[in-house]
Amino acid sequence: MTHSTTTPVALAMWDFSWLERRWPGAGYEDWEQALDELTDRGYDTVRIDAYPHLVAAGPYREWELVPVWNQQMWGAPAPVRVRVLPALIAFLTAARRHGVAVILSSWFREDVEDTRMWIRSPQDLAGIWVETLRHLDQAGLLDTVLFVDLCNEFPLDIWAPFLYSDPSIRRIAPGEPGRRYAARSTPEVAVWMRSAIDGVRTVHPDLDLTFSVSTELATWPDQEVGFLDVLEVHVWMANSESGDYDRRVGYHQPRFSDEGYRRLARHGREEYERDRLRHDEALFTMIDTMADWSRAVGKPLYTSECWSLVDYKDWPGLEWDWILDLNARAVEYAAGTGRWAGMATSNFCGPQFVGMWREVEWHRRLTRAITSATLDADLADTVPSRDVGGETVAARADGHVRGSGLRV
């Protein structure tokens, strides 16, 4: 697949599934096949967990990971054993062969020793990433990395529990695990983010760095993001910040109970179709809000988790057609803003989501829409670019400015 330097990238989020879902039938047991299917659908970039805390603590040792949930299709529903660095090098090497760029992130998966809690400062966070990138540099694989997201959906404590061991953060966000939130608009969190970014940038000044986010989207004017190279925002219709879909359905993202999916099967589609204009407006208004943020700060947008529901899967009573329709309209709308240098078609864009993955023509149509979109002229010198296997995976503007208009 040939990548033009004027095209945004089409993303797929393979999170920690790329490593943890490798039993027969889990979707990633054969990386060559998975990457073949990915590129056949028109995708040229994946976002994966690099497990930097485990690479830094023991790159070649075997780690036992505990499940973060058993109801979702991301990762393993039971404990698994992994050796991170050899797998990471092998996967990036395979991605290069397929002309696929990689966004490195981390969900900071819990192992039986809870190694992630060794991170006590932003300098520690920077240090584990520097060590991980050193290994990839030694393997000659840094050219496959489009950018690095230092922590998924920062500062949610499900992914960044280590943040809340810092006394300065505990003072502003007391409470039990799962009930803590320290806003990015606070000086304490902003300093944490900037210090971690600076620590990695000192060693890798040419590598683009960010923290992905899924909260405080509507209050972006209150946040300092000058130290981020790109904005990696996760946007859904079901995000409670923009609408009330989950509340109306009664879905509360239970991690170890199927009650949430039984509620989605009973009420999910019915609620959306009953008040479609309301729910669509919540999504499309948030897309406009993110485009406004990008224009205000002059940074390109990437979205690897999106657009309809946060959680979905192949399950009795759950149908994919209405999810496909809403996601398609969101992709086309977001692409028309001229602000997205890369986006996914959903956060179910992986082989384990059989009902969506098998819709090959749907994927091809939308990845064409993504990669044929034109970026606003001001983004020409701000988007990352990597040469992967002799093909440039990049997002560059050609000077044409696109506007937007609400289509629901």
Side-chain angles (χ1 to χ4, degrees), residues 71-223:
Q71 295 300 306
Q72 308 299 350
M73 297 296 290
W74 301 289
V80 292
R81 294 178 178 272
V82 299
R83 296 184 189 274
V84 179
L85 185 61
L88 185 61
I89 289 174
F91 182 86
L92 264 63
T93 301
R96 171 189 276 166
R97 282 196 298 270
H98 287 78
V100 172
V102 179
I103 298 168
L104 298 180
S105 181
S106 189
W107 285 251
F108 287 96
R109 293 284 289 109
E110 181 182 359
D111 67 285
V112 293
E113 299 170 29
D114 212 3
T115 303
R116 60 189 178 170
M117 296 308 292
W118 295 0
I119 303 169
R120 296 300 182 96
S121 69
Q123 291 74 30
D124 290 343
L125 180 58
I128 63 172
W129 273 112
V130 167
E131 179 65 6
T132 300
L133 294 169
R134 181 183 67 82
H135 284 291
L136 297 183
D137 192 19
Q138 289 179 340
L141 290 167
L142 274 189
D143 61 350
T144 66
V145 178
L146 191 63
F147 64 84
V148 176
D149 164 25
L150 270 62
C151 181
N152 178 62
E153 296 180 347
F154 198 79
L156 295 181
D157 73 345
I158 186 175
W159 309 126
F162 50 83
L163 174 69
Y164 299 89
S165 65
D166 185 313
S168 68
I169 302 300
R170 280 205 306 270
R171 282 195 296 272
I172 63 172
E176 297 299 316
R179 300 178 180 273
R180 305 169 295 188
Y181 187 80
R184 291 188 305 279
S185 57
T186 60
E188 292 86 351
V189 176
V191 166
W192 233 91
M193 295 171 68
R194 179 187 289 276
S195 298
I197 292 281
D198 287 348
V200 180
R201 183 170 288 136
T202 298
V203 182
H204 294 281
D206 297 326
L207 194 59
D208 290 281
L209 307 170
T210 196
F211 283 89
S212 62
V213 299
S214 63
T215 52
E216 300 177 71
L217 301 183
T219 57
W220 64 261
D222 300 331
Q223 300 169 50

Side-chain angles (χ1 to χ4, degrees), residues 335-358:
T337 67
R339 305 308 301 180
W340 262 270
M343 73 175 79
T345 55
S346 78
N347 46 314
F348 316 117
C349 184
Q352 73 269 45
F353 296 97
V354 177
M356 175 168 274
W357 197 239
R358 69 188 177 194

Side-chain angles (χ1 to χ4, degrees), residues 32 52 99 164-165 170 199-200 231 233 244 298 318 322-323 325 330 334 346 374 384 390 402:
E32 295 292 337
Y164 299 89
S165 65
R170 280 205 306 270
V200 180
L231 301 177
V233 298
D244 58 357
L318 295 184
W322 68 282
I323 298 291
D325 174 71
S346 78
T374 306
R402 295 287 294 274

